[in-house]
């Protein structure tokens, strides 16, 4: 189920801050900040001259003020690291003072912020006792720095000390956190003031009560491999006595949720929600119940207008350009989809296997950009459509898929690959009930590494056995046997995450996906992705939307040009045949260069296999094995191939042809055994041939697509010099006049 936001009642700071309990008011404003979507720090306090009790406190937004430039850095000749800009001069604040009879009253209040505030998707209540089973240790792993912070705050509350953040370090690339150090609040020493005098101001300073005692206790975590945080430094011993403080409340806020850490969450629950119950953290719940906030960020009105202007201009140039959009009550963009003529043409030829690429889900600093992609006949990436989704809910994905399939002529894909995500999965089942939906295997393994981190660390051999149970089992029976063995060996029968994986096995385990066309020829050969080219550097929130669109268009033109160059090379060149084979000669004339190289590798590898005929008749059955010496004991390495001597139909137990459209080495080895000289046309898939884009098309989209690619190349070469430009323009005008004459003549 989707995690429902439990923030329901709007809190009013002006009305609520009238109480005799200062700690309750502190908790209240933090709860209010968590509800609205900002962080709080204490800016100023004032104590009584009589008993040094606090009589005034000012709470401000964490973005209040500005960073001060420190002097003296140039004296040492050292280059200082550029600090991330966190404070933006926000004026939001609340100040309370203690009045008569100990009552606390709001004396100053500013509710407006100078930056965007975004409420979290949910609130999680955690009691320190939930972490009673674990103490911190070096090398301890967490999924995020917020998770590490929650753990250490819970540990501190349970042991009896308080915590503050002592040091943080951010990445120089994207300003995300890469290190955080948490220390005891008694760490360090309170600065002393000589004779209580402020020499510069000539004023007598109030004597401060020392609260720091030089405690060394600390807990430092650093980021590893982008999705893992590890404890790098740890000191557990304190230099002071520990005392349990049962009323302490912590609010750990991230971009997706607020964690309320309290021994008595009832009071905070009343502040934050109406009728909600505390939600304890369970490391075994399905991963999508912890997914990021559906509200990624917001576009401005200016961005919205510029994007819609681009859509209208593109549609005016060619009415086959498809687009759709939605705006919110402030006329700011929330949904946008577009597909140009190239995307529609590519889908017509190569839309049998589609991937929904959502790289931004792994990095909250990226634009919420969605790509629908596939693979062409040169095993290159092709684009079928783009989208920007500020809200990643089920309804948003339903809206996207419905608009996309309409633009593609209502032709549903044969298979669709996505990440594991409840919103996407539900949307796919609603829009494409007949499409074979599968989850990306790499994404599944990545999620398993996080969810089963404790198992991975306790049992070094588990990861290899786990992946073997998934990757090396070819039949459902083999998978079931390996899976059950895994559960018994590591006592995982009651692990909720393992049970959940098993329940959805038909969407991600290869043994259950046989017969599904995926266009994935070999696992280690991947088409180019925009992630390596543009995503990390340019497709982030700091990139202006017009710049983003321009960069995307340039990248897509580059993809189109590469496809045209490969079309040209495959049409006018032939690969060198390394072996005197009729099969290789035949396919070299029909396959593109890239696909031929893959087929040739399969053919060469087939020569290292042995064939044993195990059944005679019109349909022969053969056992194909890598090493004949181990044929009996190593039956799992054998493949069973059936071959029809009359109709030339062939099938292998590995199922490679059904998955990618290229014959496997086992079938090719049987062809050599039965002396099959040519490849039956049935097993030459047109989508991998040089003529993949041939044939009569009813829509003018594909004709426009071809002319567009040629025109781009013509413009690029024709503008290289003045002489070439004049010649190119002259011929272009003549060609245009001739086209218009023919068009008028034939209507």
């Amino acid at each position: 189920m989707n995690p429902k936001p439990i923030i329901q009642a709007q809190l009013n700071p002006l009305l609520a801050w009238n109480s005799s309990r200062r700690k309750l008011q502190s908790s209240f404003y933090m709860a209010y900040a968590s509800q609205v979507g900002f962080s709080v720090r204490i800016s100023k306090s004032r104590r009584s001259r009589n008993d040094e009790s606090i009589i005034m406190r000012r709470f401000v937004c964490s973005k209040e003020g500005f960073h001060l430039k420190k002097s003296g850095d140039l004296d040492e000749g050292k280059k200082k690291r550029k600090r991330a800009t966190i404070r933006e001069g926000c004026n939001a604040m609340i100040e309370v003072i203690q009045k008569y009879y100990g009552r606390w009253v709001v004396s100053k209040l500013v509710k407006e912020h100078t930056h965007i505030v975004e409420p979290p998707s949910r609130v999680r209540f955690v009691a320190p006792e939930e972490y009673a089973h674990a103490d911190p240790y070096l090398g301890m792993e967490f999924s995020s720095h917020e998770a590490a912070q929650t753990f250490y705050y819970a540990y501190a509350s349970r042991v009896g000390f308080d915590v503050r953040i002592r040091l943080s370090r951010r990445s120089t690339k994207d300003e995300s956190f890469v290190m955080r150090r948490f220390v005891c609040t008694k760490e360090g020493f309170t600065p002393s003031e000589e004779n209580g005098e402020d020499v510069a101001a000539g004023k007598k300073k109030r004597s401060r009560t020392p609260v720091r005692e030089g405690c060394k206790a600390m807990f430092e975590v650093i980021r590893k491999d982008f999705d893992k945080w590890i404890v790098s430094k740890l000191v557990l011993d304190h230099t002071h006595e520990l005392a349990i403080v049962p009323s302490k409340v912590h609010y750990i806020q991230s971009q997706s949720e607020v964690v309320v850490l309290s021994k008595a969450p009832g009071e905070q629950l009343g502040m934050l929600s109406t009728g909600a119950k505390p939600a304890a953290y369970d490391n075994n719940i399905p991963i999508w119940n912890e997914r990021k906030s559906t509200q990624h960020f917001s576009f401005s009105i200016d961005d919205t207008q510029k994007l819609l202007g681009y859509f209208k201009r593109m549609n005016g140039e060619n009415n086959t350009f498809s687009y759709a959009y939605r705006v919110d009550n402030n006329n700011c963009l929330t949904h946008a989809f577009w597909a140009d003529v190239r995307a529609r043409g590519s889908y017509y030829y190569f839309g049998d296997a589609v991937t929904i690429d959502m790289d931004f889900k792994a990095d909250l600093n990226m634009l919420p950009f969605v790509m629908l992609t596939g693979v062409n006949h040169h095993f290159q990436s092709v684009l079928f459509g783009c989208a920007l989704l500020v809200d990643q809910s089920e309804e948003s994905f339903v809206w996207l898929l419905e608009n996309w399939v309409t633009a593609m002529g209502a032709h549903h894909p044969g298979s669709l690959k996505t990440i594991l995500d409840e919103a996407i999965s539900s949307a796919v089942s609603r829009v494409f009930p007949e499409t074979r939906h599968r989850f990306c295997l790499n994404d599944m393994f990545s999620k398993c590494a996080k969810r089963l981190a404790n198992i991975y660390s306790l049992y070094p051999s588990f990861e290899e056995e786990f992946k073997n149970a998934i990757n090396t089992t070819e039949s459902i029976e083999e998978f079931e046997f390996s899976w059950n063995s895994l559960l018994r060996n590591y006592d995982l029968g009651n692990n909720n995450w393992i049970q959940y994986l098993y329940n959805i096995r038909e969407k991600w385990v290869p043994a259950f996906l046989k017969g599904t066309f995926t266009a994935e020829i070999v696992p280690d050969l991947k088409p180019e992705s925009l992630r390596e080219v543009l995503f990390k550097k340019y497709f982030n929130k700091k990139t202006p939307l017009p710049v983003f669109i321009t960069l995307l268009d340039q990248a897509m033109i580059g993809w189109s040009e590469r496809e045209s160059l490969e079309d040209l090379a495959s049409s006018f060149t032939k690969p060198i045949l390394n072996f005197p084979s009729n099969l290789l000669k035949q396919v070299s004339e029909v396959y593109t260069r890239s696909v031929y190289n893959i087929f040739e590798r399969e053919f060469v590898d087939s020569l290292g296999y042995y064939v044993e005929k195990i059944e005679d008749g019109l349909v022969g059955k053969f056992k194909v094995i890598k090493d004949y010496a181990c044929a009996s004991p190593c039956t799992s390495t054998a493949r069973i191939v059936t071959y029809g001597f009359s109709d030339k139909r062939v099938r292998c137990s590995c199922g490679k042809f059904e998955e990618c459209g290229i014959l496997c080495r086992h079938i090719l080895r049987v062809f050599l055994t039965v002396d099959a000289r040519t490849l039956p046309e049935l097993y030459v898939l047109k989508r991998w041939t040089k003529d993949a884009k041939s044939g009569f098309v009813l829509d003018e989209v594909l004709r426009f697509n071809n002319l567009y690619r040629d025109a781009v190349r013509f413009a690029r070469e024709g503008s290289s010099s003045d002489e070439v430009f004049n010649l190119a323009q002259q011929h272009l005008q003549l060609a245009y006049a001739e086209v218009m004459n023919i068009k008028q003549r034939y209507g």
Side-chain angles (χ1 to χ4, degrees), residues 337-374:
F337 159 76
W338 68 100
D340 62 9
V341 64
R342 293 168 296 181
R344 297 179 65 185
S346 296
Y347 184 75
Y348 180 87
Y349 293 123
F350 309 113
D352 42 14
V354 178
T355 297
I356 298 181
D357 195 340
M358 298 179 58
D359 284 338
F360 77 91
K361 294 281 279 187
D363 189 346
L364 290 177
N365 292 311
M366 307 304 295
L367 283 171
F369 177 57
V370 181
M371 297 177 65
L372 295 107
T373 63

Side-chain angles (χ1 to χ4, degrees), residues 98-311:
Q98 190 179 37
K99 288 288 188 178
Y100 47 87
Y101 302 111
R103 304 293 294 182
W104 287 81
V105 179
V106 176
S107 58
K108 295 180 181 179
L109 175 65
V110 178
K111 296 179 67 175
E112 291 75 18
H113 295 259
T114 60
H115 55 92
I116 296 175
V117 291
E118 185 176 314
S121 62
R122 66 171 184 170
V123 176
R124 232 175 359 108
F125 294 88
V126 177
E129 290 75 14
E130 295 177 28
Y131 293 88
H133 65 282
D135 289 337
Y137 58 88
L138 285 175
M140 195 174 189
E141 295 184 4
F142 299 91
S143 59
S144 65
H145 66 85
E146 292 93 353
Q149 183 177 358
T150 302
F151 170 81
Y152 193 60
Y153 279 21
Y155 168 77
S157 179
R158 177 165 54 88
V159 173
F161 66 98
D162 205 359
V163 179
R164 61 184 171 86
I165 300 174
R166 173 66 178 84
L167 186 64
S168 297
R169 189 165 66 242
R170 292 177 179 263
S171 168
T172 57
K173 297 180 179 178
D174 55 10
E175 296 188 355
S176 62
F177 284 112
V178 296
M179 185 276 283
R180 301 211 88 178
R181 181 182 299 169
F182 307 92
V183 299
C184 174
T185 51
K186 295 183 181 293
E187 179 266 353
F189 296 94
T190 303
S192 60
E193 293 145 355
E194 186 177 358
N195 299 325
E197 296 288 332
D198 189 330
V199 180
K203 296 180 181 180
K204 186 176 180 179
K205 296 288 290 185
R206 185 192 306 271
S207 178
R208 299 178 59 187
T209 302
V211 294
R212 301 187 183 181
E213 304 176 7
C215 183
K216 301 292 184 182
M218 54 90 74
F219 176 84
E220 180 179 295
V221 290
I222 59 175
R223 190 176 71 184
K224 292 285 187 181
D225 302 327
F226 299 100
D227 58 357
K228 185 166 57 176
W229 288 77
I230 298 177
V231 178
S232 58
K233 294 181 181 179
L234 179 66
V235 178
L236 296 177
D237 297 330
H238 294 260
T239 59
H240 55 90
E241 293 184 0
L242 303 179
I244 304 299
V245 185
S247 61
K248 189 66 178 179
V249 181
H250 291 285
Y251 292 83
I252 297 100
Q253 186 171 357
S254 67
Q255 295 186 15
S256 61
E257 67 175 9
V258 174
V259 175
V260 182
L261 183 66
S262 173
K263 289 193 174 184
E267 192 173 77
Q268 288 71 39
L269 184 62
M271 294 179 183
L272 285 168
S273 63
T274 303
K277 296 181 179 180
Y281 179 76
D282 181 4
N283 192 46
N284 291 322
I285 60 176
I287 191 72
W288 56 35
N289 285 348
E290 293 184 357
R291 58 193 177 88
K292 303 296 183 183
S293 168
T294 58
Q295 190 76 17
H296 203 67
F297 81 115
S298 58
F299 289 103
S300 66
I301 295 180
D302 184 58
D303 284 337
T304 303
Q305 292 175 345
K306 289 179 179 178
L307 183 63
L308 297 185
Y310 166 79
F311 288 164

Side-chain angles (χ1 to χ4, degrees), residues 326-341:
R326 279 183 178 178
V327 295
D328 59 17
N329 294 333
N330 298 320
N331 290 324
C332 294
L333 185 74
T334 60
H335 303 63
F337 159 76
W338 68 100
D340 62 9
V341 64

Side-chain angles (χ1 to χ4, degrees), residues 552-686:
L552 179 64
D553 278 346
Q554 291 176 353
M556 294 303 99
I557 290 174
W559 279 12
S560 182
E561 287 183 347
R562 287 184 313 160
E563 182 178 337
S564 298
L565 290 174
E566 276 299 318
D567 284 341
L568 193 65
S570 294
S571 298
F572 293 97
T573 62
K574 290 185 179 180
I576 299 175
L577 300 181
N578 297 317
F579 299 91
S581 166
N582 289 334
L583 281 176
L584 291 180
K585 182 179 180 182
Q586 176 193 359
V587 298
S588 69
E589 296 175 351
V590 293
Y591 280 150
T592 61
R593 297 192 308 171
S594 301
V595 177
Y596 171 79
N597 291 333
I598 296 171
F599 183 90
E600 185 186 57
R601 190 168 75 179
E602 287 292 316
F603 181 85
V604 173
D605 288 342
S606 73
L607 301 178
Y609 283 74
Y610 295 90
V611 177
E612 177 186 348
K613 192 172 186 180
I614 57 177
E615 191 173 309
D616 284 320
L618 292 177
V619 179
K621 184 177 288 187
F622 301 85
K623 179 192 290 185
V624 183
I625 195 166
K626 178 72 173 176
D627 187 359
Y628 187 80
C630 63
S632 297
C634 301
T635 54
S636 62
T637 61
R639 306 295 190 276
I640 303 301
V641 177
T642 57
Y643 178 76
F645 287 92
S646 57
D647 58 8
K648 308 301 181 185
R649 290 185 176 271
V650 64
R651 186 179 183 87
C652 180
S653 61
C654 76
K656 179 172 182 176
F657 178 78
E658 290 76 15
E659 293 175 13
C660 69
I662 302 291
L663 286 178
C664 63
R665 61 195 65 180
H666 318 111
I667 290 179
L668 295 178
R669 186 65 184 90
V670 171
F671 277 179
L672 293 176
T673 301
V674 300
D675 197 26
R677 302 295 181 91
T678 59
L679 208 62
E681 292 185 5
L682 177 65
Y683 300 107
V684 180
L685 216 60
K686 184 180 179 181

Side-chain angles (χ1 to χ4, degrees), residues 692-710:
K693 296 187 291 184
S694 66
F696 179 72
V697 183
L698 297 177
D699 200 335
E700 68 172 359
V701 169
L702 301 176
R703 296 191 294 270
F704 183 92
N705 189 21
N706 293 332
L707 288 175
Y708 182 86
R709 286 202 306 265
D710 292 339

Side-chain angles (χ1 to χ4, degrees), residues 517-567:
F517 185 81
T518 65
E520 296 175 358
I521 298 178
V522 286
D524 57 342
L525 183 60
K526 302 293 183 183
E528 181 184 3
S529 170
L530 280 184
R531 171 183 283 274
E532 293 79 13
V533 182
L534 291 174
F535 257 67
K536 294 182 180 179
K537 189 172 183 181
Y538 298 111
F539 287 7
N540 54 60
K541 295 178 183 178
K542 295 182 179 180
T543 304
L545 201 53
V547 176
F548 161 76
I549 295 296
T550 300
L551 291 172
L552 179 64
D553 278 346
Q554 291 176 353
M556 294 303 99
I557 290 174
W559 279 12
S560 182
E561 287 183 347
R562 287 184 313 160
E563 182 178 337
S564 298
L565 290 174
E566 276 299 318
D567 284 341

